[in-house]
Amino acid sequence: MPDKIFFDTNILVYLSSQESPFHLRVLEKVKELFDKYEIWISRQVLREYAVVMTNSSLLQKPLSSDEVEKDMEKWGSIFRVADEIEETTINLRELIVLFDVKDKNIHDANIRATMKTYNIERLFNIKLKGLQKIQRN
Amino acid sequence: MIAKKLKAKIDKKRNLVLHLSDITPGEVEVIILQEERSITSYKNLLSKIPKHKVGKIQGTLSRKEIYLDAG
């Protein structure tokens, strides 16, 4: 059974945004990772993707509600989607206490808590400030 | 209930091929356990990745930006 890897929200954004300078680099990396790993995302990632792709402060030409809803369906059909379960909340509580996680960093910690729930040790992300802080400790 | 772990093949017609030499004839319960496999091929993945021209992406897409309060 292949190892698992978790794709964070910005990877999905760069994958679908053809004009992004990261688009081709991320696409090449995905091809490499696809052969080695089982690719996972989570409900949180799908939700955040929808937030970013419809946000006119973040994108010059944001998607419509219909467009983003179709995208969410597509991502769910090509990657495994982790649900947040009771164990995820227990993992999150542990991380919050262990690393004194606060404020918006709790959203990052929840990604780590979800990964732990599904025994996923690898994360693919362009920027991981929040998670790096947790993993270094 | 008596449990016995066996390995069996499923043929092209999707029949379970299993010869049980040491089990007496009669009804048995079968539980199918299957390893999870990749749910798509790479070609299929490429065809399903959403493609958009959304222009320039502002910022780094950190969660602090994603969850930035409106207004």
Side-chain angles (χ1 to χ4, degrees):
Chain A
M1 198 168 191
D3 284 343
K4 300 172 181 176
I5 192 165
F6 191 93
F7 279 15
D8 209 347
T9 306
N10 60 11
I11 297 302
L12 269 56
V13 173
Y14 293 129
L15 268 177
S16 64
S17 304
Q18 294 182 303
E19 294 164 316
S20 163
F22 290 118
H23 175 71
L24 287 178
R25 286 165 60 190
V26 171
L27 199 58
E28 281 177 20
K29 191 69 182 172
V30 169
K31 186 176 182 183
E32 179 189 325
L33 296 172
F34 183 83
D35 290 333
K36 295 181 186 171
Y37 301 105
E38 186 175 76
I39 301 171
W40 285 71
I41 56 174
S42 69
R43 305 283 167 209
Q44 179 183 351
V45 165
L46 286 175
R47 190 173 63 246
E48 290 171 353
Y49 174 85
V51 171
V52 172
M53 297 303 282
T54 57
N55 189 327
S56 59
S57 299
L58 293 172
L59 304 181
Q60 280 183 326
K61 292 172 274 183
L63 303 186
S64 68
S65 303
D66 285 346
E67 287 173 319
V68 85
E69 186 274 332
K70 285 186 177 67
D71 282 10
M72 291 169 80
E73 192 275 331
K74 283 182 180 175
W75 292 125
S77 72
I78 55 179
F79 298 142
R80 295 202 176 280
V81 184
D83 288 309
E84 286 186 29
I85 58 177
E86 187 180 0
E87 188 185 338
T88 315
T89 308
I90 293 168
N91 291 338
L92 177 62
R93 284 165 42 202
E94 285 176 1
L95 288 171
I96 288 171
V97 173
L98 195 59
F99 302 112
D100 191 26
V101 185
K102 293 174 181 170
D103 198 1
K104 295 186 178 81
N105 287 328
I106 289 174
H107 297 304
D108 281 319
N110 195 59
I111 291 287
R112 188 68 187 88
T114 306
M115 289 172 63
K116 189 179 177 191
T117 305
Y118 290 84
N119 298 315
I120 306 169
E121 294 177 354
R122 292 175 177 81
L123 175 72
F124 182 29
N125 191 336
I126 296 290
K127 276 211 160 232
L128 349 135
K129 280 183 183 173
L131 285 173
Q132 279 180 333
K133 185 180 174 188
I134 290 168
Q135 288 165 344
R136 271 203 305 269
N137 280 289
Chain B
M1 181 187 288
I2 298 170
K4 185 177 177 73
K5 188 176 177 183
L6 301 158
K7 279 193 174 180
K9 286 186 178 177
I10 295 174
D11 68 16
K12 288 179 181 175
K13 292 179 180 174
R14 302 188 182 219
N15 292 318
L16 187 66
V17 182
L18 194 60
H19 175 69
L20 304 170
S21 59
D22 58 346
I23 293 183
T24 52
E27 280 193 10
V28 293
E29 288 185 322
V30 177
I31 300 170
I32 305 287
L33 301 174
Q34 189 175 18
E35 272 191 13
E36 290 189 4
R37 295 177 193 280
S38 178
I39 57 175
T40 186
S41 66
Y42 183 68
K43 192 177 174 184
N44 188 35
L45 180 143
L46 281 183
S47 71
K48 286 191 173 179
I49 287 177
K51 297 172 185 68
H52 300 293
K53 293 191 174 179
V54 293
K56 190 178 178 184
I57 299 171
Q58 311 290 338
T60 61
L61 299 184
S62 70
R63 285 203 165 73
K64 285 184 181 177
E65 290 176 340
I66 295 173
Y67 289 94
L68 192 67
D69 294 336

